[in-house]
């Protein structure tokens, strides 16, 4: 897919971005807000951090849906990932002196455990042809209950004690690049990892034979089967990958940028899995588009901090709604996004 083709395919999403930016510019002008104080490198850093877990889950979700399976359980798998990462880091360290190595063990554990859990989801939806929406909602509900319950077993309460974050890493020379160096090469390695994964996901999807298989599995599985490729094997791989990415996203929330697992309310994931679904729909199933949409939602989430820097204080009940209002605006602007033709439809080979 060329740049021109990508622009043409995502013209609706691009038009939506332009309208959102225009609306924000209108607000800045109407209220005479100091734009230079709102648009800063620090603001972009915070937006990128907030966008990281959303982008990870979005890329995983779009791969599953591209192959024909709607993994609506991203929110639930993110809850599992957040819990497992915090619990594994805590248990491996013995509850004391949690090092960076322990944190990375926790992150890896979250990815592996969520991948294994997604195998069950894949079996139910692909082999046994369970309703994908019902199965995904079940994952979410189980996560909402299992997370606080397991936290109580491990820590004696629905939330974990405060845990350290993954340390910021500065790359010599690259970190000295204006703006980009500070944002990517003098930041958490999880941010750079996300950027790399987004680029790799785009290359695999649009520049490799396997990527064409994934697209064919969701658009025309009969043709893929005729070509001698096992459709369900492709779908298993993408669904398990979506669970692993969601687990990584949850780990980023709890011990990547957070201070441990929080199991109160709807847990610390707080709807980000659902926003990830909107992000890849808005990005028209393109990994780069999904990442850009995630950045938009991340910026909306962090807008409250920027408003405080210019002396605008709003109640938390209002600023907390910013990302969700943005989701509603985006859904309104996007209108209809064409889903893969065979999404949600089980496939049985004629062989």
């Amino acid at each position: 897919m060329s740049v021109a083709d990508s622009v043409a395919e995502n013209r609706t999403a691009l038009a939506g971005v332009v309208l959102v930016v225009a609306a924000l510019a209108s607000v800045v002008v109407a209220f005479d807000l100091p734009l230079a104080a709102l648009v800063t490198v620090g603001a972009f850093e915070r937006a990128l951090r907030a966008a990281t877990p959303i982008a990870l889950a979005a890329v995983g979700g779009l791969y599953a849906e591209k192959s024909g399976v709607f993994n609506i359980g991203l929110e639930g798998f993110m809850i599992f990932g957040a819990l497992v990462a915090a619990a594994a880091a805590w248990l491996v360290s013995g509850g004391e002196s949690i090092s960076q190595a322990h944190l990375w063990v926790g992150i890896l554990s979250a990815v592996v455990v969520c991948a294994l859990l997604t195998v069950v989801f894949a079996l139910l939806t692909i082999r046994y042809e369970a309703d994908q929406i019902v199965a995904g909602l079940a994952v979410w509900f189980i996560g909402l209950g299992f997370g606080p319950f397991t936290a109580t077993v491990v820590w004696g309460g629905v939330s974990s004690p405060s845990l350290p974050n993954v340390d910021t890493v500065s790359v010599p020379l690259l970190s000295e690049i204006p703006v980009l160096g500070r944002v990517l090469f003098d930041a958490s390695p999880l941010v750079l990892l996300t950027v790399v994964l987004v680029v790799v996901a785009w290359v695999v999807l649009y520049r490799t034979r396997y990527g064409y298989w994934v697209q064919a599995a969701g658009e025309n599985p009969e043709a893929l089967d005729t070509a001698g490729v096992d459709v369900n094997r492709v779908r298993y791989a993408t669904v398990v990958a979506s669970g692993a990415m969601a687990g990584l996203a949850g780990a980023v929330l709890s011990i990547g940028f957070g201070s441990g697992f929080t199991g109160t309310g709807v847990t610390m994931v707080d709807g980000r899995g659902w926003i990830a679904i909107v992000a890849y729909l808005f990005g028209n199933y393109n990994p780069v588009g999904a990442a850009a949409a995630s950045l938009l939602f991340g910026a909306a989430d962090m807008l409250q901090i920027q408003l405080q820097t210019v002396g605008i204080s709003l109640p938390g009940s209002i600023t907390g709604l910013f990302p969700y209002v943005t989701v509603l605006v985006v859904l309104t602007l996007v209108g209809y996004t064409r889903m893969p033709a065979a999404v949600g439809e089980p496939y049985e080979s004629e062989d």
Side-chain angles (χ1 to χ4, degrees):
M1 177 181 289
S2 66
V3 174
D5 291 337
S6 182
V7 170
E9 182 180 326
N10 295 280
R11 58 183 178 275
T12 303
L14 292 172
V17 171
V18 171
L19 288 174
V20 170
V21 172
L24 291 176
S26 299
V27 171
V28 169
V29 173
F31 292 94
D32 193 25
L33 298 177
L35 186 60
L38 289 174
V39 183
T40 63
V41 176
F44 188 62
E45 281 184 304
R46 287 188 288 272
L48 196 59
R49 286 167 64 95
T52 295
I54 299 173
L56 289 169
V59 170
L62 77 83
Y63 257 76
E65 195 162 336
K66 267 288 192 182
S67 73
V69 180
F70 187 15
N71 187 356
I72 201 175
L74 292 177
E75 178 89 1
F77 289 119
M78 286 181 71
I79 295 174
F80 281 111
L83 170 71
V84 170
W90 174 269
L91 294 174
V92 169
S93 69
E96 297 180 359
S97 300
I98 299 177
S99 67
Q100 291 297 301
H102 296 143
L103 294 178
W104 283 104
V105 168
I107 291 172
L108 180 61
S109 299
V111 172
V112 172
V113 169
C114 285
L116 293 175
L117 290 175
T118 319
V119 170
V120 179
F121 174 82
L123 285 170
L124 289 174
T125 55
I126 298 173
R127 180 174 181 179
Y128 297 106
E129 302 182 3
D131 186 284
Q132 295 174 8
I133 303 297
V134 173
L137 290 174
V139 171
W140 177 41
F141 286 128
I142 292 172
L144 286 174
F146 181 80
F149 170 78
T150 306
T152 302
V153 172
V154 176
W155 297 295
V158 296
S159 299
S160 72
S162 180
L163 301 177
N165 294 169
V166 172
D167 282 347
T168 294
V169 174
S170 181
V171 181
L173 298 181
L174 292 178
S175 61
E176 298 176 7
I177 300 174
V179 183
L180 187 63
R182 174 179 165 185
V183 170
L184 290 181
F185 304 111
D186 190 16
S188 170
L190 294 170
V191 172
L192 184 57
L193 174 63
T194 301
V195 173
V196 171
L197 288 175
V198 168
V199 174
V200 170
W202 186 90
V203 171
V204 171
L205 191 60
Y206 293 115
R207 290 289 186 269
T208 67
R209 179 180 298 179
Y210 180 74
Y212 297 141
W213 291 353
V214 171
Q215 296 179 64
E219 293 290 351
N220 194 341
E222 293 84 3
L224 186 63
D225 191 18
T226 302
V229 178
D230 190 323
V231 174
N232 286 335
R233 182 173 295 180
V234 173
R235 290 182 171 181
Y236 275 120
T238 57
V239 173
V240 172
S242 72
M245 292 287 282
L248 176 59
V252 168
L253 281 173
S254 62
I255 62 176
F257 302 149
S259 57
F261 177 75
T262 301
T264 54
V266 289
T267 76
M268 65 190 309
V269 177
D270 198 23
R272 289 176 176 85
W274 303 110
I275 294 177
I277 294 175
V278 177
Y280 71 69
L281 290 175
F282 186 40
N284 201 19
Y285 298 95
N286 184 308
V288 175
S294 300
L295 185 59
L296 176 63
F297 297 134
D301 194 17
M302 294 293 104
L303 181 58
Q304 55 181 314
I305 297 178
Q306 287 306 105
L307 290 177
Q308 291 174 2
T309 62
V310 297
I312 300 176
S313 181
L314 296 175
S317 57
I318 294 178
T319 56
L321 294 175
F322 286 166
Y324 306 105
V325 172
T326 304
V327 167
L328 293 176
V329 173
V330 164
L331 288 174
T332 303
L333 294 174
V334 170
Y336 174 74
T337 299
R338 194 186 75 80
M339 300 174 68
V343 70
E345 298 178 5
Y347 182 77
E348 294 184 5
S349 176
E350 296 180 359
D351 293 340

